[in-house]
Amino acid sequence: DAGITQSPRHKVTETGTPVTLRCHQTENHRYMYWYRQDPGHGLRLIHYSYGVKDTDKGEVSDGYSVSRSKTEDFLLTLESATSSQTSVYFCAINTRRGTGGDTIYFGEGSWLTVV
Amino acid sequence: AQSVSQHNHHVILSEAASLELGCNYSYGGTVNLFWYVQYPGQHLQLLLKYFSGDPLVKGIKGFEAEFIKSKFSFNLRKPSVQWSDTAEYFCAVNTNAGKSTFGDGTTLTVKP
């Protein structure tokens, strides 16, 4: 358990509405990530952050934005939700310290349904 | 860019059978390698990881994996599976900038 909390855990929303998912960590890790998981696609990286206000796009970033104003929080926003964004969203952290090995740990997931 | 290929999408075994799940990656440099397990309705949990040293890595729940550099492979093994091993298994490669690339996963069903 890497001290990762995601909220909300489950949400149903309507097409066209904005949605924000929150990821909170308690161990001051620098790297944080948002993935989505869909059948047949495995895990795909949406956005990641390597520090406060430092973020970058992953492979499926269209329609998503992120913010990291504090080390412990990484927010994922769907600006205008679409049905194709119905998915399970996982936040993750990297336990890298200095030049040590990278290990990624996942939160428990947020199930989002867009109707 | 790195990529990860898991050969089997769905594996069905009887209890006590031996397991081997294939994972190949493409990347020319130094890699860190991982296997994760995801039980139904849960998040991914780390099974084992390889950074350097002994290429045979032992993880939790009796799983092990062998890194064969010449084959760009990191196959997961377990000598005798149990019904509780029913889950989805993901291989992952981490190169730099703290980013991991995941395979599409292998669903393991163990019949009692």
Side-chain angles (χ1 to χ4, degrees), chain A residues 40-52:
Chain A
H41 292 279
L43 281 156
R44 293 180 291 176
L45 182 64
I46 305 171
H47 282 279
Y48 65 103
S49 169
Y50 37 94
V52 173

Side-chain angles (χ1 to χ4, degrees), chain A residues 16-66:
Chain A
T17 60
V19 176
T20 296
L21 306 180
R22 178 179 182 243
C23 179
H24 179 79
Q25 57 138 333
T26 60
E27 299 184 0
N28 209 35
H29 294 294
R30 182 179 169 196
Y31 288 85
M32 297 183 76
Y33 312 83
W34 277 106
Y35 288 88
R36 61 177 289 174
Q37 184 178 25
D38 305 286
H41 292 279
L43 281 156
R44 293 180 291 176
L45 182 64
I46 305 171
H47 282 279
Y48 65 103
S49 169
Y50 37 94
V52 173
K53 297 186 180 176
D54 281 330
T55 65
D56 206 346
K57 296 179 179 180
E59 59 183 299
V60 290
S61 60
D62 287 348
Y64 301 94
S65 62
V66 289

Side-chain angles (χ1 to χ4, degrees), chain A residues 7-8 11 18-22 34 67 75-78:
Chain A
S7 60
K11 185 174 181 65
V19 176
T20 296
L21 306 180
R22 178 179 182 243
W34 277 106
S67 66
L75 304 180
L76 176 71
T77 297
L78 288 65

Side-chain angles (χ1 to χ4, degrees), chain A residues 31 33 35 37 40-43 45 48 57 90 94 96 101-109 111, chain B residues 32 34 36 38 41-44 46 49 51 88 90 94-100 102-105:
Chain A
Y31 288 85
Y33 312 83
Y35 288 88
Q37 184 178 25
H41 292 279
L43 281 156
L45 182 64
Y48 65 103
K57 296 179 179 180
F90 287 99
N94 188 320
R96 171 190 281 189
D102 296 331
T103 302
I104 289 182
Y105 291 92
F106 289 86
E108 295 191 344
W111 273 254
Chain B
N32 297 328
F34 307 84
Y36 290 84
Q38 185 178 30
Q42 297 188 23
H43 63 292
L44 277 77
L46 184 67
K49 58 187 177 183
F51 289 157
E88 192 161 15
F90 292 90
N94 189 309
T95 55
N96 53 45
K99 289 167 60 177
S100 283
F102 289 81
D104 286 343

